[in-house]
Each structure stands twice: as structure tokens, then as C-alpha cells.
Amino acid sequence: RLLLALLCAAPAAPAPSPWEPARGAPSPWIWGDDSQSHSRAQGPVEVQCQEAQLVVIVHRDLFGNGRLVSAAELSLGPAACKHSRLDPSQKTVTFSAGLHECGSTVQITPDSLIYRTLLSYDPSPGSNPAIVRSNPAIIPIECHYPRRDNVTSGSIRPTWAPFNSVLASEERLLFSLRLMNEDWSSERDFSAFQLGDVLNIQAEVGSHSHVPLRLFVDSCVATLGPGAGSEPHYAIIDFNGCLVDGRSDATTSAFVTPRPRQDMLRFQIDAFRFAGDARNLIYITCHLKVTPAEQSPDALNKACSFSKARNTWAPVEGTRDICSCCELGNCGSAAMARSMRPPEPWDSHRYRRQAATSEADVVIGPVLLSSDQQGQRPPSHQGAVTAPAVGTALACAVAGVAVAGAALAIGLRRR
């Protein structure tokens, strides 16, 4: 009985969660701060964000299992730049690249410049092609640089400026594209997305002493590398503001209405990946443009989503007819768009340069998808009985039956 009590009272060791990262595994995001040659080490990768370049030092025991990866199996960025230095004594591989080299992307926020790139590990096939001993891996890398620090030597500058430079600074527009969290309150990182998740993307334009502007997302293309010209590619927004991804089956992609502000536009897309690509990543390149806020939306300046419930296209603002060309896949020329819009009364206070539109291409990425179960997590394990607990319960049951049998035998003998 004492043995049975001790056995059943021993707590079952909980099974480790299959979703917890392995100890010693590379961090999903490696990033450095400021531009003062600061080095930050996390696991087997060290990153130095210098003034005009980034330096990545990779320890060849990348996975902490004692197997040294080959320098030829490592590359930096979508351009697959090779290493610049190999140190056999320290067992490290060093990459040095300019901030704009190797296919890196830059994101501009009100406070920072964020440069993003990738460290890729592509294992070479072994002597026996029938077996595989390691999987490819990708480690995203970021360098953050503050925009508002004073980097001058403190020299005295004149207080006046030529008229042309003043006019240029007033008309300068700052386009941005950000990946936001669920409630749109802050940015989120670009990793750990899964198929079925929703990507919240916020487009915004900032200006200095400019006229009120309305922002549009003219087009968005997903690719495997930075730049809309990469192949393969998939159109998310096309035809001057038609969110064509929402037309696909089993998607809920759409613009968010109403707008928070005229110079901001939000849209949501369902996470996806390119079939047959082992890296499970995408880049999104969007063409952003603005018009004066007082100008009515038209076929060339619109934000239209497809409603599956109503089987029709609907604009964020403007009349419904400006979205009719989305179904045709051809929204015509600028002359046609102007002919569809009723003439506006002449405003003598409107400046000519207000009517001109400004535009820019902005890239976000790489957006990483989880490769586990193709991005699908199993149901929550809360309340489930772990394997050790099942074994302990079975042992207690067997011991209980044995003790009960022994007690019954002793009772029969005494009789």
C-alpha cells in the first residue's frame, strides 16, 4: 500500500510543447540598433550595424549540434551574396555588405530607418542523394537607425535658404507601408505568420506644409524577392486600386472602411505562400500615389473591394460605378477616367501644383511563414493528458488491481 501511494502521488512530468523553440536554435529575428558600429549577438549569429554597411558574423556551429556548416552553404540577402571572410580558428564566416546591397529592403518610419535582409542556409546534397540530413534555414536580419539624431559636427549654418529649396522641402512626400498588429495600434514583426492568418497592411503618406492629400494604393505585387519585377509574382491589388486578391475563392481580403484619415489607407489580405518554394517567404511591393483630398475618386484613383456576399465591387469612398472596371480587368486611360467624373466647379484658390499627383514604390518584407504543418497549428493542448501522465495512471490502475487481489487472497486464507 505504501508503494502504491508513493507511485500514484508522484507528479507526471509534463510533455514539452511541440511549438516551443529548441534550445540553442537561431533566434527568429536578429536585429541591431543605431549606427555606431554596435554589435549585438543572439545565439550563433552576430550583427554589427555600421554607418554605411552591416556586418554579419556566423558561427559555423549554426544549430548547436556540433555539425559545422560550410561557408559555401551560407549566403546573404535575396541576391545571395557570398561571404567576405572565413576564420578557421574561430570557426566563423563573416559577411560585409552595404546597407543597400545584396537585395536588402529599407522601411521608413517616423522615427527610424529599418534595413532588412536575410541570412540563408542552403545545405549541399550529401554523397547519397537518396537521403537528407539537414533542412534549409532562413534567419532574417534587421538594422535600425534613428532618423532624428543630430549627426552633424555642430557647425554654424545660415538661417536663410534659397526659395527653390524651401519649395522642394514643402512638397516632399514620405510614403510608408507597415505591417500592423491585430488592433492596428502598432507595428508587428514580419515573422511567425501561418496560413490562415490575416496580414494588416497600412499605407500612409506624410508631408511638410502640403495641401490635404488622399492616398491610394494603385497596385501591390507579391514576389519571392524585393521588387515588383521578380518572378514568380502574384497580383494582390491591380487595375488602379482593385483588390483582386479578394476575388479569389476562400479569401476575405479587403480594404478597411472607413479610412482613419485621408492620407492613410488600410487593407487586409489572407496569408499565402508560393507553391514549391521551401523558403516560405514573400515580399510585397506596392505603388502608392496621392491626389488632392478635394478631388473626387475616379476609375484611376480608387480603393475597391469585392464583396462575396453581394457579388459586387464596392469603393471605400466615391460612387459605385468607379469600381465597375475591376470586373473587366481594364480601367482605361486617364482621359476615360476624367470623362466618367462630372466636371468640378473652378476654384480660384486652388494652386496648379495641387492637381499633380505624386507616387512611389514601397516594399515590405520578407514576410515569413511558419513551415510547421504548412503553417497550420493543431488545436490547443490545454486539458490534454500527456503521455507520461497516461503511463502513470495505467501503472496506478495495475498496482491497484494487484493490491486488491492480494488483499482478497489473504482474506480467503484467514477464513
Side-chain angles (χ1 to χ4, degrees), residues 315-379:
V316 173
E317 65 265 299
T319 57
R320 191 174 293 271
D321 60 326
I322 65 175
C323 297
S324 59
C325 62
C326 294
E327 193 67 24
L328 302 175
N330 181 12
C331 289
S333 62
M336 179 183 298
R338 285 193 296 268
S339 65
M340 294 176 61
R341 186 175 71 242
E344 298 180 358
W346 169 255
D347 184 0
S348 60
H349 297 288
R350 184 184 304 165
Y351 297 96
R352 283 192 301 169
R353 69 172 183 267
Q354 292 181 2
T357 60
S358 298
E359 47 199 319
D361 289 330
V362 186
V363 184
I364 61 172
V367 178
L368 292 180
L369 293 162
S370 170
S371 59
D372 297 317
Q373 299 292 326
Q374 295 186 347
Q376 302 293 335
R377 284 195 180 188

Side-chain angles (χ1 to χ4, degrees), residues 10-83:
S17 170
W19 300 107
E20 291 182 358
R23 294 182 181 270
S27 171
W29 280 101
I30 305 296
W31 63 276
D33 239 332
D34 61 350
S35 57
Q36 305 300 324
S37 302
H38 178 68
S39 175
R40 178 170 184 157
Q42 290 191 8
V45 179
E46 301 175 10
V47 179
Q48 297 176 1
C49 299
Q50 300 179 358
E51 182 177 355
Q53 68 175 359
L54 60 89
V55 177
V56 181
I57 302 174
V58 186
H59 295 266
R60 292 180 58 196
D61 189 4
L62 186 61
F63 300 98
N65 56 8
R67 179 186 179 274
L68 301 183
V69 302
S70 169
E73 298 173 325
L74 299 170
S75 62
L76 185 67
C81 293
K82 297 303 180 183
H83 64 280

Side-chain angles (χ1 to χ4, degrees), residues 29 75-80 99 101-107 114-120 138-142 177 179 190 193 199 201 219-237 267 269 272-274 277 279-287 362-369:
W29 280 101
S75 62
L76 185 67
L99 295 177
E101 295 177 352
C102 301
S104 63
T105 61
V106 59
Q107 179 187 2
I114 305 173
Y115 291 87
R116 291 188 173 94
T117 189
L118 300 169
L119 176 67
S120 300
I138 290 179
I139 302 176
I141 295 173
E142 293 183 1
L177 202 61
L179 197 57
F190 285 21
F193 280 100
L199 276 62
I201 301 178
S219 63
C220 278
V221 177
T223 57
L224 288 174
S230 303
E231 293 290 343
H233 68 272
Y234 173 73
I236 300 172
I237 299 176
F267 60 98
I269 60 175
F272 63 90
R273 64 181 179 89
F274 284 97
D277 182 70
R279 294 174 296 173
N280 291 323
L281 62 83
I282 58 172
Y283 289 83
I284 300 176
T285 304
C286 294
H287 186 76
V362 186
V363 184
I364 61 172
V367 178
L368 292 180
L369 293 162

Side-chain angles (χ1 to χ4, degrees), residues 196-271:
D197 287 349
V198 174
L199 276 62
N200 293 334
I201 301 178
Q202 177 174 292
E204 190 173 359
V205 61
S207 62
H208 302 280
S209 303
H210 208 286
V211 296
L213 299 173
R214 179 181 285 135
L215 176 69
F216 293 100
V217 181
D218 201 58
S219 63
C220 278
V221 177
T223 57
L224 288 174
S230 303
E231 293 290 343
H233 68 272
Y234 173 73
I236 300 172
I237 299 176
D238 206 350
F239 312 124
N240 308 107
C242 305
L243 210 162
V244 293
D245 183 56
R247 192 70 172 85
S248 304
D249 295 335
T251 62
T252 59
S253 303
F255 286 105
V256 177
T257 183
R259 294 174 182 256
R261 302 192 312 265
Q262 291 296 319
D263 58 1
M264 181 185 293
L265 186 60
R266 293 170 172 173
F267 60 98
Q268 298 176 307
I269 60 175
D270 294 348

Side-chain angles (χ1 to χ4, degrees), residues 63 94-95 125 148 213 225 227 243 272 289 294 334:
F63 300 98
T94 301
F95 295 85
R148 301 184 182 278
L213 299 173
L243 210 162
F272 63 90
K289 65 182 182 182
E294 59 187 19

